[in-house]
Amino acid sequence: QVQLVESGGGLVQAGGSLRLSCAASGRTFSRDFMGWFRQAPGKERKFVAGINWRGGTTYYEDSVKGRFTISRDNARSSVYLQMNSLIPEDTAVYYCAALLSGDYNRWDSYKYWGQGTQVTVSS
């Protein structure tokens, strides 16, 4: 059974940091492009960050550039999202996902999804 399990979410004050983790199991994800998305209440799921299978190429949504860092450890089948300088607008459920094919910033390009982890940033 293929699983992606996110962890590390929580409540943090503005300006604080969180590190999200995504653990993969059930198949080999080491060759997959991996992405992080987020979805705020009443809004569509949006791309946050992505990383190629080697970890040498990363992509970020403009509003998180310079604040968030995506990384991966293929030996541990894990992907991470370090989030610094958090602002209330970052409040959302964060999902990790494995790309199937297509544009990396489109949610419908991804095949496997985790259940999400809630991030709440208070002002």
Side-chain angles (χ1 to χ4, degrees), residues 10-16 18 86-92 119-123:
L11 174 64
V12 64
Q13 287 188 332
L18 285 173
L86 285 161
I87 59 177
E89 290 76 13
D90 295 320
T91 295
V119 171
T120 303
V121 184
S122 63
S123 57

Side-chain angles (χ1 to χ4, degrees), residues 48-94:
V48 175
I51 188 167
N52 73 337
W53 73 273
R54 288 187 175 183
T57 302
T58 57
Y59 304 89
Y60 297 94
E61 191 268 329
D62 285 347
S63 70
V64 308
K65 285 180 181 177
R67 300 188 298 122
F68 291 10
T69 303
I70 188 172
S71 61
R72 68 190 297 164
D73 183 342
N74 288 336
R76 297 180 182 271
S77 298
S78 293
V79 181
Y80 308 99
L81 186 67
Q82 177 67 43
M83 306 186 296
N84 299 328
S85 302
L86 285 161
I87 59 177
E89 290 76 13
D90 295 320
T91 295
V93 177
Y94 283 71

Side-chain angles (χ1 to χ4, degrees), residues 1-119:
Q1 181 180 0
V2 177
Q3 273 195 317
L4 295 174
V5 180
E6 301 95 337
S7 62
L11 174 64
V12 64
Q13 287 188 332
S17 299
L18 285 173
R19 186 186 192 224
L20 305 184
S21 299
C22 173
S25 63
R27 68 180 288 273
T28 300
F29 286 91
S30 59
R31 292 278 181 168
D32 290 339
F33 184 100
M34 299 294 292
W36 283 96
F37 286 73
R38 64 187 179 186
Q39 187 167 19
K43 297 189 177 181
E44 64 180 10
R45 192 169 298 188
K46 291 188 175 182
F47 172 79
V48 175
I51 188 167
N52 73 337
W53 73 273
R54 288 187 175 183
T57 302
T58 57
Y59 304 89
Y60 297 94
E61 191 268 329
D62 285 347
S63 70
V64 308
K65 285 180 181 177
R67 300 188 298 122
F68 291 10
T69 303
I70 188 172
S71 61
R72 68 190 297 164
D73 183 342
N74 288 336
R76 297 180 182 271
S77 298
S78 293
V79 181
Y80 308 99
L81 186 67
Q82 177 67 43
M83 306 186 296
N84 299 328
S85 302
L86 285 161
I87 59 177
E89 290 76 13
D90 295 320
T91 295
V93 177
Y94 283 71
Y95 299 89
C96 72
L99 183 71
L100 176 62
S101 64
D103 296 336
Y104 65 83
N105 59 349
R106 291 177 58 92
W107 68 267
D108 55 358
S109 298
Y110 291 73
K111 180 175 182 179
Y112 300 104
W113 290 86
Q115 83 291 347
T117 186
Q118 176 70 47
V119 171

